[in-house]
Amino acid sequence: MSRRRQLVRCAAVLSVLIGGIGTGLAHAATGTALYVDDDAAGCSDTGPGSPAEPFCQIQPAADSAGPGDTVHVARNKTPYAPVNIGSIGAADAPVTFVAAPGDNAAATAAVVLTKTSTPAMTFSGAQYVDVSGFNLSSSGTSTLVFSQSQHISYDTGGVTTAQAATGADGTIAVDGSSSDVALTRLHIAPESGGPAFASAAGAQDITLADDVTSLGGGISATGTTGIRLAGDTIVTACGNGISLTDGSSGSVENTVVRADTTASCSDTGTPAEITVDAASAPQVTADYNAVSPLPAGTDYEWAGTAYGTSQAFRTGTGQGTHDLDQTDVTPDGTPLIDSADADAPGELATDLHGAQRVDDPLVADTGTGAGDYDRGATEVQDPLRLGTASGVAGSAYVGVPVTFTPGFVNPWSDSLDGYRYTFAFGDGTTVTSVTGPATHTYTQPTTGDTIHATVTVYRPDGTEMGTETSLSFSVRPLPPLTGSLDCRSASVRTAPSLPDTTGCGLTASGFSGYPITSDRITFGDGSAAVSATGSKSWVRHTYAAAGTYTVTQQLTDSGGRTFTDTTPTTVGPSYVATDPRRILDTRKGTGAAERQVGPAGVVRLKVLGVGGVPSSGVTAVTLNVTDTHATASSYVTVYPDGTSRPTASDLDFTAGRTNPNLVTVRVGAGGYVDLYNAHGHVDLIADTQGYFTARSDTSDDHVSPMSNLAPVTPTRVLDTRYGTGAPKGKVAPGSTTTVTLPKNGQGAGTVGAVLNVTVTGGSGSGVVTVYCGSRPGTSNLNYRVGQTVSNLVVTKVCTGGKVKLYNSGAHVHLIADLQGLYTNSVVDGTSPWGSPFVPANPTRFLDTRNGTGAPAGRLGANSTLTVKVAGVHGVPADATAVLANLTGVAPTTATHLTAYGVGSLPNVSNVNLSAGETRPVLAVIPIDAEGSIHIRNANGSLNIVADLEGYIG
């Protein structure tokens, strides 16, 4: 030792010996800084301990240090050797040992480690020494030892005893001749069961504050005067958490004592978390603690009596007025927050991590003093943390400003005033903001790698809070503003649940460039435009009348760009199939007078409120109209009451025959329709088949769900001549034939079918009734011996796509061709989507007798007539099918007509005629891509007439 240091040491000892005289000797010198760094190239244990030539180990520095000196120990990877500190400082000039940064930035602390039983650090005869920032570990009985030492503080660090046997001396041991020792903000870990701390009889004024013990070790004080435990967190295994015995005195406050539930204990006893024996109990104060023992343990043992709850403890001892049981402590620790005694003996102003005491605004203050101290070693801090920055979702675009915003998780809703943000946009440019968000415009697209933008946040004190997760995205050339408007696809179609209503799906790719500022929709019916901005790509509109309308979308974005898109939409009433009921029979006086209808006679027939048709909300009805007992060849026209009679016909017939035809007609004034007979006298019969409604629901128990019409490729589903759909051979009188529709008619969404039903080769006369469920007392088709006759039928469909055909009178062949399906809004993957039917005023669009719609002249055998129907006569260009009354006029021989749209000639028929006969059949005729329908004549020659009844959108 140098002579100078010998003199300083002697002066310090002398000062201690005569300190009461107050002479103030040489230790008032400024003090020396000494350095220890065993990784330094020029280190030497012979001194001088300067920055250029530091000591290699701590021991020579401890031997050299005097009052006021500070020993700076570098935080190196290589452990230091054990040290015995006998330094003597003074009350106003202590000897200080601090862990200081060294050359090795990867090292975390100054560590003193030995693999022998030697303690890592021993204070022997030391006085007025302050130590901070050291991690100690040893494999001996104790790692940190105090012997005959006074006025020692050891703060911040870790103390571990590896492989210590159960019952060994404490990881930190204080002998009976030591006093005024403060152990604060330490992690203490007796790895194999020994106590974390043990003080011997005679020790005085020992403080443990804001320490954490783990791995099962507790605190033990025997005959210790003035031991203070404040704000500690003690995790015990199988023994006592705190044990004060043999006349110890002091206090236990703000401490959390809990059991290590993962430990396996062989003890059969019931250890207490806090034990104070009878000799110590009168001299110990316990309050503001939280105790959680093992299931086999107990909370307290006080003066020899066990107490299992804090309430029992309070009642039995008068202690623990504010203590908490294990059942009081929630997973988030809420009862521990702001509930401690700020004035507890030994309590610190900062916690285990050096954090200041703060008030949690989400928890009521229940502690004393400042009211914002937490129990245990850790003070819950402001949970403000960085979240994820926002700015670009997917891609950024050249020339379009992008605003980046820092993200915070801020449960306490603190003010962010004073925070500073540095944005690195990934293209070489940065900007600093004091308000938070920052806007940047990229000038070049990325050519391969994506852009990585970050934001670094700084606290008001200038320290860095952190850098938010990188935002990765591409920069692309600005795309044009585009959109799409779809009011027809199955995914957005609302009919039939909302008749006369359209639902339109909207998209706009401009959302990824400049934001959309205006998205206006007009519906083509003169109604005011509506704004779709923010509508989640969906608008709905109800029209006053059925028809086809042009819907227009007009987009504008914040860059001033515009885009317009249009699409047609067809709306119309929904169809409700009813059980057939007879509402007109002039033979019996049903629905009209009991007499035949004469020449130019009109039957005014009530249709609303009768035959299963509601009294309101009905726009059109479907009737099966039959003539019988005609005295002359004639025709019948069915039309809305109160309107002018059209020139079209619905039922053409010759004298003495019985002929049916399906008619769909709009409902006229007062709920009536009119039936006009042109010539001679005739009896008229009408049976309801269903109706069209603009209402969104129905309470009629006799009707099927509302539906729309889906035209299908005409398909023969029954032909008893060849065994198609039923056994081969004529059906017997009084028999019922069940037909199963193709797969597209078997789904849960199918409620009705449109069939062209034909009888041929009858051995006598009779009628055919098509139905589902109970057979009605009506007919769809009348036939006589040897006659081939057909009629369009709309019928309900039973589960599994079943339809029944009842034959009343003679042996006869039955033929049925599927023309369309009525489907409701059930999406089952089988039933096709239906489209709205728009009724039209009956209009003659084809008459080969006078050249209407086609060149004048008869259509020959095996000849096909092509007729343009879309885009004319009020039928929109994109209609899918028309409903037409198709009439064959005076063929030269027996023949049949087949009407079809797309594809090759189907093996079906619509109108079956004998030589010279004139008769109509209603037909659903698909429209091909050119907007035309095709009519094929099989034999001979004839004229053809067709009247438009409506179209399917």
Side-chain angles (χ1 to χ4, degrees):
M1 181 182 299
S2 68
R3 179 166 181 77
R4 173 184 174 276
R5 294 202 176 278
Q6 289 177 336
L7 293 174
V8 170
R9 174 62 60 86
C10 291
V13 172
L14 181 61
S15 174
V16 172
L17 295 176
I18 63 174
I21 303 176
T23 56
L25 298 178
H27 66 70
T30 58
T32 302
L34 302 175
Y35 295 89
V36 178
D37 186 353
D38 65 346
D39 281 350
C43 74
S44 170
D45 283 338
T46 60
S50 64
E53 188 179 344
F55 292 112
C56 298
Q57 294 295 322
I58 302 172
Q59 189 63 59
D63 293 341
S64 300
D69 289 350
T70 299
V71 178
H72 301 271
V73 183
R75 302 182 182 212
N76 287 359
K77 283 184 177 181
T78 304
Y80 292 98
V83 60
N84 189 317
I85 298 176
S87 304
I88 298 178
D92 60 348
V95 177
T96 302
F97 293 81
V98 295
D103 294 336
N104 191 340
T108 58
V111 177
V112 179
L113 174 66
T114 177
K115 295 184 179 180
T116 68
S117 60
T118 304
M121 182 176 287
T122 300
F123 291 87
S124 179
Q127 297 184 35
Y128 294 108
V129 177
D130 298 336
V131 179
S132 64
F134 286 76
N135 287 339
L136 309 180
S137 177
S138 74
S139 58
T141 58
S142 298
T143 298
L144 177 60
V145 174
F146 295 87
S147 174
Q148 300 181 354
S149 296
Q150 294 81 38
H151 313 300
I152 310 296
S153 70
Y154 192 101
D155 180 74
T156 308
V159 184
T160 302
T161 299
Q163 302 174 0
T166 302
D169 293 339
T171 293
I172 301 177
V174 179
D175 74 354
S177 60
S178 295
S179 63
D180 191 15
V181 175
L183 304 167
T184 56
R185 288 183 282 260
L186 301 179
H187 292 269
I188 310 171
E191 291 186 354
S192 297
F197 168 89
S199 60
Q204 300 180 44
D205 298 326
I206 309 298
T207 299
L208 289 92
D210 292 340
D211 298 322
V212 171
T213 73
S214 59
L215 301 174
I219 305 297
S220 174
T222 302
T224 300
T225 302
I227 184 166
R228 293 174 291 273
L229 283 78
D232 298 308
T233 297
I234 300 172
V235 182
T236 65
C238 305
N240 295 324
I242 298 173
S243 178
L244 307 182
T245 60
D246 295 342
S248 295
S249 65
S251 59
V252 182
E253 289 202 48
N254 301 341
T255 294
V256 176
V257 188
R258 61 182 177 83
D260 181 1
T261 57
T262 64
S264 176
C265 300
S266 59
D267 302 54
T268 58
T270 56
E273 294 303 311
I274 298 179
T275 296
V276 179
D277 70 1
S280 305
Q283 306 165 135
V284 174
T285 300
D287 202 2
Y288 294 93
N289 301 304
V291 183
S292 175
L294 286 166
T298 188
D299 285 18
Y300 311 89
E301 184 178 313
W302 197 271
T305 301
Y307 299 97
T309 66
S310 62
Q311 178 61 49
F313 181 54
R314 283 191 290 272
T315 302
T317 66
Q319 299 273 4
T321 303
H322 303 90
D323 278 12
L324 298 170
D325 291 312
Q326 58 180 338
T327 55
D328 298 322
V329 181
T330 60
D332 63 0
T334 298
L336 304 179
I337 299 173
D338 294 350
S339 67
D341 179 7
D343 300 323
E347 185 60 273
L348 303 179
T350 57
D351 74 349
L352 173 70
H353 307 291
Q356 294 293 323
R357 306 295 179 173
V358 292
D359 180 63
D360 185 337
L362 305 180
V363 177
D365 294 344
T366 58
T368 61
D372 51 13
Y373 279 52
D374 297 348
R375 304 189 195 198
T378 303
E379 179 80 9
V380 174
Q381 297 296 303
D382 187 348
L384 174 69
R385 61 181 175 84
L386 290 179
T388 301
S390 61
V392 178
S395 299
Y397 293 92
V398 172
V400 179
V402 178
T403 299
F404 296 89
T405 303
F408 287 95
V409 179
N410 189 11
W412 286 6
S413 302
D414 302 58
S415 170
L416 297 177
D417 292 346
Y419 280 76
R420 181 168 51 88
Y421 314 89
T422 297
F423 295 85
F425 298 111
D427 60 352
T429 59
T430 60
V431 68
T432 297
S433 169
V434 296
T435 59
T439 299
H440 181 65
T441 301
Y442 292 93
T443 59
Q444 297 292 328
T446 52
T447 57
D449 295 336
T450 57
I451 287 285
H452 300 282
T454 61
V455 54
T456 302
V457 182
Y458 298 89
R459 299 182 184 90
D461 62 4
T463 60
E464 181 179 323
M465 184 177 184
T467 299
E468 296 194 39
T469 302
S470 175
L471 295 173
S472 299
F473 51 90
S474 298
V475 180
R476 299 180 180 177
L478 182 64
L481 174 64
T482 60
S484 81
L485 179 64
D486 182 7
C487 303
R488 300 178 62 88
S489 72
S491 61
V492 300
R493 189 170 297 161
T494 58
S497 61
L498 290 172
D500 295 339
T501 300
T502 187
C504 297
L506 313 172
T507 63
S509 66
F511 282 114
S512 56
Y514 289 101
I516 298 298
T517 57
S518 175
D519 189 353
R520 297 182 63 79
I521 309 297
T522 55
F523 293 96
D525 60 350
S527 61
V530 299
S531 174
T533 302
S535 66
K536 297 183 179 179
S537 301
W538 175 259
V539 294
R540 180 175 288 163
H541 180 69
T542 299
Y543 289 89
T548 298
Y549 302 87
T550 298
V551 182
T552 302
Q553 178 188 26
Q554 294 177 315
L555 289 171
T556 304
D557 65 21
S558 62
R561 302 180 301 171
T562 61
F563 175 80
T564 300
D565 190 22
T566 62
T567 188
T569 186
T570 298
V571 295
S574 292
Y575 183 74
V576 179
T578 65
D579 294 323
R581 299 184 190 178
R582 186 148 291 172
I583 62 172
L584 174 65
D585 192 340
T586 60
R587 303 171 302 177
K588 300 178 180 180
T590 301
E594 187 180 344
R595 61 172 180 266
Q596 288 193 313
V597 184
V602 175
V603 175
R604 188 168 180 262
L605 177 63
K606 179 77 169 181
V607 294
L608 294 190
V610 296
V613 178
S615 58
S616 63
V618 175
T619 59
V621 293
T622 297
L623 305 171
N624 196 61
V625 179
T626 304
D627 68 88
T628 188
H629 304 142
T631 61
S633 296
S634 182
Y635 65 88
V636 170
T637 299
V638 187
Y639 58 99
D641 183 61
T643 66
S644 299
R645 175 170 56 87
T647 58
S649 64
D650 294 286
L651 184 61
D652 294 79
F653 52 87
T654 56
R657 294 187 178 182
T658 300
N659 302 283
N661 195 24
L662 195 68
V663 175
T664 294
V665 58
R666 290 188 297 112
V667 177
Y672 286 83
V673 298
D674 294 342
L675 291 84
Y676 168 82
N677 172 46
H679 311 293
H681 290 76
V682 66
D683 280 309
L684 296 178
I685 302 167
D687 302 323
T688 58
Q689 306 292 309
Y691 61 88
F692 291 87
T693 178
R695 297 194 306 182
S696 60
D697 56 34
T698 178
S699 58
D700 191 335
D701 294 336
H702 299 288
V703 300
S704 298
M706 293 176 300
S707 54
N708 280 336
L709 182 57
V712 300
T713 301
T715 305
R716 182 146 290 176
V717 295
L718 174 67
D719 192 338
T720 61
R721 298 173 302 176
Y722 305 108
T724 301
K728 183 178 180 180
K730 292 182 179 181
V731 299
S735 65
T736 299
T737 301
T738 299
V739 176
T740 301
L741 299 179
K743 183 178 179 180
N744 60 358
Q746 298 175 17
T750 298
V751 297
V754 181
L755 299 167
N756 197 75
V757 178
T758 303
V759 297
T760 187
S763 60
S765 298
V767 299
V768 174
T769 299
V770 185
Y771 65 100
C772 165
S774 299
R775 177 164 56 88
T778 58
S779 63
N780 297 96
L781 188 60
N782 301 68
Y783 63 89
R784 62 182 184 274
V785 61
Q787 183 186 22
T788 298
V789 62
S790 58
N791 190 26
L792 193 68
V793 174
V794 177
T795 179
K796 286 184 179 181
V797 175
C798 292
T799 302
K802 306 293 185 182
V803 175
K804 297 180 180 179
L805 289 83
Y806 170 76
N807 171 45
S808 71
H811 287 84
V812 68
H813 281 298
L814 295 179
I815 303 167
D817 300 324
L818 181 65
Q819 304 250 321
L821 295 168
Y822 277 104
T823 61
N824 62 25
S825 57
V826 175
V827 181
D828 58 8
T830 300
S831 303
W833 275 96
S835 297
F837 169 72
V838 180
N841 290 324
T843 303
R844 183 150 291 174
F845 68 88
L846 174 65
D847 192 339
T848 60
R849 297 173 300 183
N850 58 26
T852 299
R858 298 169 69 88
L859 183 64
N862 295 318
S863 298
T864 300
L865 188 65
T866 298
V867 183
K868 180 76 170 180
V869 293
V872 295
H873 310 297
V875 178
D878 61 347
T880 60
V882 291
L883 185 66
N885 207 48
L886 184 63
T887 303
V889 180
T892 58
T893 186
T895 188
H896 65 268
L897 299 179
T898 299
Y900 63 101
V902 179
S904 58
L905 176 70
N907 181 32
V908 299
S909 64
N910 295 91
V911 186
N912 292 269
L913 302 161
S914 57
E917 183 181 20
T918 297
R919 66 182 311 273
V921 168
L922 193 65
V924 177
I925 311 174
I927 300 173
D928 68 13
E930 284 70 41
S932 298
I933 62 172
H934 309 281
I935 303 171
R936 176 80 169 185
N937 173 41
N939 306 304
S941 65
L942 78 170
N943 280 301
I944 301 174
V945 177
D947 299 317
L948 178 68
E949 301 288 333
Y951 64 87
I952 294 94

